[in-house]
Amino acid sequence: MMKVTIIGAGPGAPDLITVRGLKRLQEAEVVLYADSLVSDELIAEAKSGAEIVKTAGMHLEEMVELMAARCHEGKKVVRVHTGDPAVYGAILEQIALLREAGVEVEIIPGVSSVFASAAAVGAELTVPDLTQTVILTRAEGRTPVPDGEKLKDLASHGCTVALFLSATLTKKVVREFLNAGWSEETPVAVVYKATWPDQKVVRSTLKNLDEDMRKNGIRKQAMILAGWALDEQIYEKNYRSKLYDKEFTHGFRRGAPK
Ligand SMILES: C[S@@+](CC[C@H](N)C(=O)[O-])C[C@H]1O[C@@H](n2cnc3c(N)ncnc32)[C@H](O)[C@@H]1O
């Protein structure tokens, strides 16, 4: 069966692709990639003679026609996406059209920028007794979000919130969180270009977020992580999981009696 492989490239650093993703890239005869977001150093791993296609200036039908045509010629085709393709990757529409063209799709996951950003700030996003939930979302800008998914409604859970595609919308983000009852002192960590050589980390609060974004000139490729899991003092607050609690019994370990 003819197939296109969609590969998650990871957040930026070329060595954060998976072993499987790298193998498919190195075997490919045709490589399409979003040149504004995937590192050229990674694409240089493709074999010599491979056809390399930058897709930033292409529309959906052009991309799909090219991928389908090369598959029909019997070539190995990969499409490299930033982070993990399942989050804001716009892969659904590609898969639908490829299937119509008789081409199957294999997806290889990648490290999403949300997790690369958490790593950059040394955070656990699910802190025992504080929050056990992470919401991955975006602020509403030119692209609407469905009813029931407005930031104010999502923020009402008080959990960790990770905002993609929202760097230019911080005024609105702050307003929505405050309207949901969050305090102005709530910690926010912004990671610009996580794992790229020019990565920048900005520690802020809801009160200062908009100003800090402006001061640091961050208007794109930024992950905004908000909530008390991002508290810089969290290490001193003694949150402990049950998993390694010496008195807690689970499937792999009997807890010591109190
Ligand atoms: C179209 S979405 C793609 C997300 C991607 N699929 C992922 O899993 O990270 C682009 C948004 O992801 C975030 N993003 C992507 N790469 C990033 C990075 N290296 N550092 C911080 N944020 C990043 C930004 O919020 C950016 O606006």
Side-chain angles (χ1 to χ4, degrees):
M1 181 69 188
M2 283 174 303
K3 75 167 186 202
V4 165
T5 302
I6 293 179
I7 304 172
D15 58 349
L16 278 176
I17 192 172
T18 64
V19 174
R20 188 184 297 182
L22 182 60
K23 187 163 171 275
R24 291 286 193 286
L25 172 61
Q26 289 168 335
E27 290 165 353
E29 293 159 300
V30 183
V31 177
L32 288 89
Y33 79 110
D35 38 312
S36 54
L37 296 166
V38 174
S39 120
D40 288 330
E41 209 182 318
L42 175 63
I43 299 302
E45 289 289 337
K47 64 181 171 193
S48 76
E51 180 183 357
I52 309 288
V53 183
K54 297 182 174 188
T55 59
M58 294 171 82
H59 61 69
L60 173 67
E61 285 75 12
E62 267 178 302
M63 279 189 297
V64 171
E65 268 168 36
L66 178 72
M67 289 190 277
R70 294 296 182 269
C71 280
H72 286 289
E73 288 164 19
K75 300 221 164 112
K76 286 186 181 156
V77 180
V78 300
R79 166 86 174 108
V80 186
H81 274 264
T82 178
D84 185 283
V87 202
Y88 302 110
I91 58 168
L92 177 62
E93 60 217 56
Q94 297 175 55
I95 298 171
L97 294 187
L98 283 166
R99 287 169 71 117
E100 270 178 30
V103 176
E104 279 302 311
V105 174
E106 171 195 33
I107 304 174
I108 299 178
V111 177
S112 174
S113 58
V114 60
F115 301 117
S117 298
V121 297
E124 175 165 354
L125 302 179
T126 53
V127 176
D129 299 327
L130 180 65
T131 177
Q132 290 290 280
T133 304
V134 185
I135 292 179
L136 309 185
T137 189
R138 57 174 297 163
E140 186 167 39
R142 282 199 303 154
T143 311
V145 301
D147 284 343
E149 295 184 19
K150 307 290 176 201
L151 211 42
K152 177 171 175 274
D153 300 323
L154 299 179
S156 68
H157 294 283
C159 59
T160 304
V161 179
L163 292 161
F164 291 74
L165 299 157
S166 305
T168 56
L169 299 166
T170 43
K171 269 196 174 51
K172 179 171 197 162
V173 166
V174 171
R175 200 169 51 239
E176 300 267 312
F177 279 115
L178 295 180
N179 286 341
W182 287 35
S183 106
E184 286 193 325
E185 303 313 318
T186 309
V188 181
V190 179
V191 185
Y192 168 72
K193 292 190 80 176
T195 80
W196 289 79
D198 49 346
Q199 167 182 301
K200 196 187 267 188
V201 171
V202 176
R203 295 282 195 167
S204 186
T205 57
L206 276 188
K207 183 156 94 197
N208 299 327
L209 178 64
D210 191 55
E211 170 80 21
D212 285 342
M213 293 292 275
R214 215 157 27 81
K215 273 202 294 209
N216 286 280
I218 301 177
R219 299 192 51 78
K220 58 180 176 154
Q221 271 179 279
M223 175 59 53
I224 301 173
L225 300 171
W228 286 96
L230 283 307
D231 183 359
E232 276 187 277
Q233 271 74 54
I234 199 147
Y235 306 111
E236 290 127 54
K237 295 200 171 157
N238 237 3
Y239 290 108
R240 294 287 181 269
S241 73
K242 290 282 180 225
L243 188 59
Y244 299 113
D245 180 340
K246 67 177 179 224
E247 285 164 5
F248 191 71
T249 295
H250 57 68
F252 297 97
R253 184 169 51 76
R254 176 168 291 284
K258 284 189 190 169

